[in-house]
Amino acid sequence: MGLKVRPTGRSGESMSDAKIIDGKAIAAELRSRVAEAVSRLKETHGITPGLAVVIVGDDPASHVYVRSKGKHTRGAGKASFEHKLPAETSQAELLDLVAKLNTDSAVHGILVQLPLPGHIDENAVIQAIDPAKDVDGFTTVNAGKLAIGQPGLFPCTPVGCVMLARSALDDLTGAHAVIIGRSNIVGKPVAQLLLQENCTVTLCHSRTRDLPSVARLGDIVVAAVGRPEMVKGDWIKPGACVIDVGINRIESDDGKGRLVGDVDFAGAARVAGSITPVPGGVGPMTIACLLRNTYRAACAIEGVEPEDF
Ligand code: NDP
């Protein structure tokens, strides 16, 4: 699925033989498979999956994400319910809304956009979501299911990372995966998912000793740190598959800023066998996997066997 392209530097010189893993194209294919499955679910069972997205406050980036989620949800033939609440909404009011969505039969997935304003306990809100509708996969029930290898709803970005690695390597069995970052929403679930793919997993963090040497052991390196271009080319084993989760805005010559990942793309692409770009790598997979989770949640709630994709 990945495209074989040669990125060029500013002077036009060839920088790499690494296969660029085209997350945009892979995400578009996944979205269209979800749309087809949703259309069959409607025709055969009269079920329209519904996703409710709740946003509190005025954070511009969060509003961009929510608009995009709504657009893609409708694009996949699903019902989209957007709840935009003012920043001063109390925790009790938010919990009340979550409780209503939990019992609303038109809603199969509930996503509360993070971050929430400081006066609201994010964990209390997340844990109030019915695990059957927890399409972000953040409840302890779904995290526990992932940890013990039971089916459940698992976090979208990590699932997307594994799909991208699979698109580049086909079989991940026996590969040594080095994950940098141990957050509950990215690093830890990526580690669990890669373990299920029979990888040998090393999970690194800010206290890991000699991180470059550990990273160099990886047939797969997943960077989820939040530090612009931290992972250098000489941290990468020749031929490795590099999945860059980071999204960082840095200053640019034109003053508009530009997005970079947690990996020094030019340096790593000289050594890697395959690599995800930023933007256009992991980012587009997150929404595509959210649509897939919502489809799967609707099937589970309505007692229909989901299509396997
Ligand atoms: P967190 O800040 O929650 O976690 C960062 C992790 O990186 C922590 O485990 C931390 O270690 C580790 N870390 C920080 N500094 C270092 C260091 N110098 N060396 C080694 N490890 C270090 O971030 P997230 O997991 O939420 O996000 C990570 C990145 O992914 C961000 O850039 C974020 O924007 C991006 N992201 C992208 C998404 C997408 O859709 N593409 C979705 C979600 C996130 P410790 O635990 O020891 O503090």
Side-chain angles (χ1 to χ4, degrees):
M1 255 190 217
L3 300 179
K4 185 99 179 166
V5 297
R6 270 170 191 270
T8 54
R10 281 193 193 148
S11 57
E13 80 277 18
S14 176
M15 293 198 309
S16 139
D17 271 334
K19 180 171 76 175
I20 308 299
I21 303 172
D22 187 347
K24 260 189 183 167
I26 296 168
E29 188 179 321
L30 180 57
R31 288 199 307 270
S32 77
R33 295 190 73 171
V34 174
E36 285 163 21
V38 165
S39 143
R40 281 187 285 273
L41 191 64
K42 282 185 188 172
E43 272 170 33
T44 317
H45 299 281
I47 297 162
T48 301
L51 173 66
V53 177
V54 181
I55 181 166
V56 184
D58 306 317
D59 179 53
S62 294
H63 277 272
V64 171
Y65 289 135
V66 167
R67 267 199 299 280
S68 179
K69 282 166 184 167
K71 187 184 93 183
H72 285 298
T73 300
R74 289 185 292 276
K78 300 178 191 167
S80 170
F81 309 100
E82 284 171 31
H83 296 266
K84 295 179 180 163
L85 307 181
E88 56 278 11
T89 301
S90 71
Q91 181 166 320
E93 286 167 327
L94 184 54
L95 288 172
D96 192 41
L97 173 60
V98 170
K100 284 194 181 107
L101 296 173
N102 281 342
T103 56
D104 184 339
S105 60
V107 171
H108 302 93
I110 302 170
L111 184 151
V112 178
Q113 184 68 40
L114 303 178
L116 291 169
H119 64 278
I120 297 177
D121 175 355
E122 281 186 357
N123 190 48
V125 175
I126 288 167
Q127 301 310 332
I129 296 171
D130 177 350
K133 298 188 177 186
D134 167 30
V135 283
D136 254 341
F138 291 164
T139 58
T140 49
V141 170
N142 282 313
K145 285 181 174 176
L146 178 57
I148 64 168
Q150 275 186 6
L153 293 168
F154 304 140
C156 303
T157 301
V159 170
C161 290
V162 175
M163 286 181 177
L164 294 179
R166 267 212 230 117
S167 79
L169 298 178
D170 296 325
D171 186 10
L172 307 185
T173 298
H176 188 165
V178 175
I179 298 136
I180 312 176
R182 59 174 164 181
S183 73
N184 289 333
I185 63 167
V186 189
K188 277 184 205 155
V190 169
Q192 303 282 6
L193 289 165
L194 288 173
L195 206 51
Q196 283 185 10
E197 297 284 332
N198 297 316
C199 290
T200 300
V201 172
T202 300
L203 187 51
C204 305
H205 45 79
S206 64
R207 315 289 172 88
T208 298
R209 287 193 198 134
D210 193 6
L211 184 55
S213 298
V214 179
R216 267 192 294 274
L217 299 173
D219 303 306
I220 300 167
V221 175
V222 180
V225 189
R227 293 185 184 263
E229 301 177 319
M230 185 186 88
V231 177
K232 306 299 179 198
D234 63 1
W235 296 26
I236 304 298
K237 178 180 181 174
C241 171
V242 178
I243 307 290
D244 189 352
V245 187
I247 304 177
N248 310 287
R249 187 167 286 280
I250 61 167
E251 285 180 16
S252 62
D253 296 343
D254 61 9
K256 289 183 185 162
R258 66 185 177 98
L259 289 184
V260 297
D262 290 341
V263 176
D264 167 17
F265 181 83
R270 285 193 193 96
V271 190
S274 52
I275 185 166
T276 60
V278 176
V282 174
M285 294 301 289
T286 300
I287 288 184
C289 291
L290 172 68
L291 301 179
R292 177 175 176 265
N293 268 358
T294 306
Y295 163 74
R296 292 164 75 99
C299 289
I301 290 167
E302 304 287 349
V304 175
E305 188 63 32
E307 293 179 27
D308 191 20
F309 57 87

